[in-house]
Amino acid sequence: MKLSDFDFDLPDDLIATRPARPRSSARMLVAGPEAHADAVVTDLPGWLCPGDRLVLNDTRVIPARLFGVRRRETGQGAAEARIEATLAAPTPEGTWQALIRPLRKLRDGEEVVFSPALSARLVGRGGGMAELAFNLTGAAFDAALAEAGAMPLPPYIAAKRAADAADREDYQSVWAARPGAVAAPTASLHFDAPLLDALAARGVGITRVTLHVGAGTFLPVKTDDVSAHRMHAEWGEVSAAAAGEIAATRDAGGRVIPVGTTALRLIETAARGTGRIAPWRGDTDIFITPGFRFAVTDALITNFHLPRSTLLMLVSALMGRARMLALYRHAVRERYRFFSYGDASLLLPGGLKRQI
C-alpha cells in the first residue's frame, strides 16, 4: 500500500476550529458497507441495541503546551529567546519528553522559565524530541502546569487560532478522569450528560479503559510505503473488570463499539495473540491498516480524519479503503466538519439496522 492510496481533497474551510454546542448536536454520518444515513449525534441510541457496549477512553488531557524564555549569560549580559514546549510523555526517570520550538536555540543543561513557579532544564535530545527535567514534581508540578500551560490543540487548529479558556472544557471529555494525555480522544467530545442518560435508558453498556494519547498522534506519515511507517508508543490499561465486561458482551451477542480510535487500538492490543480480550497494561504501538483482523471491535464511533493519516488507514481497515474514500467524498460534498472539533461518524461494518 502506498501513502497516496489514502489521499483525498479536503477544503480548508471544513476544518472545524470550535466544537458544536451542545456537544451532541454535531452531525453524524452513519455508514455500513453499502448504505449510509445523515444523522446527528443525539440519534445515536436509535442506532444501537440493548446489550451493545460502548468502550470509552477515560484519559484526561493535561495543559501540555508551555511558552517560556531561555536565559543565557553572554559577555554582553543575558540573552533571551522565546521557547515553546509541548509535553509528549513522562519518562520512568521523572523527566518529560517534549517537542521544543526552536530546539536549535537550546543547549544541553540550559534552563527555560515558563512561569515564576515552573522551569525546566534540557537534559537530552534525540529523534526530534527533547528531554526536560522540571523544577517541580508531583502535586506541585500539576498545580504549576495547570497555571502556566495551555491545552495542546492539534496543529491544524493551532495554526488558525490560539488556545483559549473555552478549550479547557471543550477539549476534554465529560468523563475524563486519569491525567496523562496531550491530545484528546476526540470522538469522546460529542458526548454530554443527556446523551449518556439516553444510552443508559436504551440498555447500552459502558466500559472505561485508559490510553494516554501522545503528541506523536499528530506526526505525519513520511514513508511512501505504508508498511515502513512506525507508530509512536502510548501507555494504556484495560483493567480486569473492563476486560470482563467486554468479553461478557461479546459472549452474549452484543456489539463492542469503541468511542474513538484510541479505545479501539487499546482493546485490539489487549486481544493480540489470543483473539480474546484480556486485562492488559503497558505501551502499545499497534498500527492498524487494511488487512488487519479485528478480534474485539464490531463497530466504531470516530471523527473525520486527515488525508494520508494513520487514522484514515485504521478506519479503512474496518470498512475497506474504497468504501471509506467514498464516504469521505460524501462528507465533503455535504460539508461535514472535519478533525478534532468536527462531526462524527458511526461505522457499522455489519450493516445499517436502525433499531427504533
Side-chain angles (χ1 to χ4, degrees):
M1 289 178 293
K2 300 297 184 183
L3 185 58
S4 58
D5 294 335
F6 299 92
D7 202 5
F8 64 94
D9 292 326
L10 178 66
D12 186 68
D13 64 346
L14 293 185
I15 298 174
T17 59
R18 295 287 184 184
R21 299 185 189 281
R23 293 175 179 235
S24 57
S25 68
R27 298 170 70 193
M28 181 175 69
L29 177 60
V30 184
E34 298 177 355
H36 64 264
D38 297 303
V40 294
V41 175
T42 50
D43 296 330
L44 179 61
W47 290 98
L48 303 181
C49 305
D52 286 343
R53 180 166 300 276
L54 298 181
V55 181
L56 315 181
N57 183 0
D58 68 0
T59 189
R60 186 170 187 83
V61 183
I62 62 173
R65 196 175 186 197
L66 292 162
F67 300 89
V69 175
R70 180 221 69 196
R71 295 196 177 100
R72 178 186 298 164
E73 291 300 325
T74 70
Q76 289 75 41
E80 295 188 348
R82 295 193 178 278
I83 301 294
E84 177 184 335
T86 300
L87 304 185
T91 72
E93 294 75 27
T95 59
W96 277 85
Q97 293 289 316
L99 298 170
I100 300 289
R101 295 179 181 174
L103 184 54
R104 59 180 173 78
K105 289 191 176 181
L106 271 184
R107 299 173 183 169
D108 288 357
E110 284 189 325
E111 184 180 48
V112 180
V113 177
F114 297 110
S115 75
L118 189 65
S119 63
R121 285 184 303 105
L122 178 66
V123 296
R125 67 182 79 204
M129 301 286 282
E131 185 176 350
L132 297 178
F134 283 89
N135 63 319
L136 300 173
T137 60
F141 170 77
D142 294 340
L145 182 64
E147 181 69 24
M151 293 303 271
L153 294 182
Y156 39 79
I157 295 178
K160 293 175 176 288
R161 66 167 181 84
D164 56 28
D167 294 304
R168 292 270 178 159
E169 179 178 347
D170 291 342
Y171 200 59
Q172 198 83 268
S173 71
V174 296
W175 55 72
R178 302 180 69 178
V182 299
T186 54
S188 303
L189 303 182
H190 298 296
F191 288 72
D192 51 25
L195 178 57
L196 291 172
D197 289 343
L199 289 164
R202 180 67 173 156
V204 175
I206 297 290
T207 289
R208 300 189 184 194
V209 298
T210 304
L211 184 76
H212 290 324
V213 191
T217 192
F218 301 132
L219 296 177
V221 179
K222 296 181 178 179
T223 59
D224 187 50
D225 180 358
V226 169
S227 64
H229 178 70
R230 294 294 174 265
M231 289 288 288
H232 57 283
E234 295 168 319
W235 184 90
E237 180 177 26
V238 178
S239 68
E245 290 169 357
I246 293 169
T249 294
R250 289 186 61 83
D251 290 344
R255 294 176 297 183
V256 173
I257 306 169
V259 175
T261 57
T262 60
L264 183 152
R265 292 178 65 241
L266 179 61
I267 63 175
E268 292 297 332
T269 296
R272 277 200 293 191
T274 65
R276 185 173 173 84
I277 190 76
W280 188 89
R281 179 175 180 161
D283 291 328
T284 178
D285 60 358
I286 190 171
F287 184 22
I288 297 176
T289 60
F292 182 86
R293 297 186 65 179
F294 292 89
V296 186
T297 302
D298 296 300
L300 172 67
I301 299 169
T302 188
N303 285 22
F304 293 95
H305 305 296
L306 277 167
R308 296 180 168 231
S309 66
T310 60
L311 301 182
L312 179 54
M313 296 171 197
L314 183 153
V315 294
S316 296
L318 185 67
M319 299 293 292
R321 185 184 69 88
R323 178 59 174 151
M324 281 311 309
L325 291 177
L327 290 169
Y328 272 41
R329 288 192 294 270
H330 171 81
V332 169
R333 285 195 304 270
E334 295 299 317
R335 300 195 61 77
Y336 279 79
R337 300 162 72 244
F338 275 66
F339 308 149
S340 296
Y341 277 153
D343 294 318
S345 62
L346 170 60
L347 304 179
L348 299 163
L352 271 60
K353 298 177 182 178
R354 187 165 172 82
Q355 302 300 315
I356 289 179

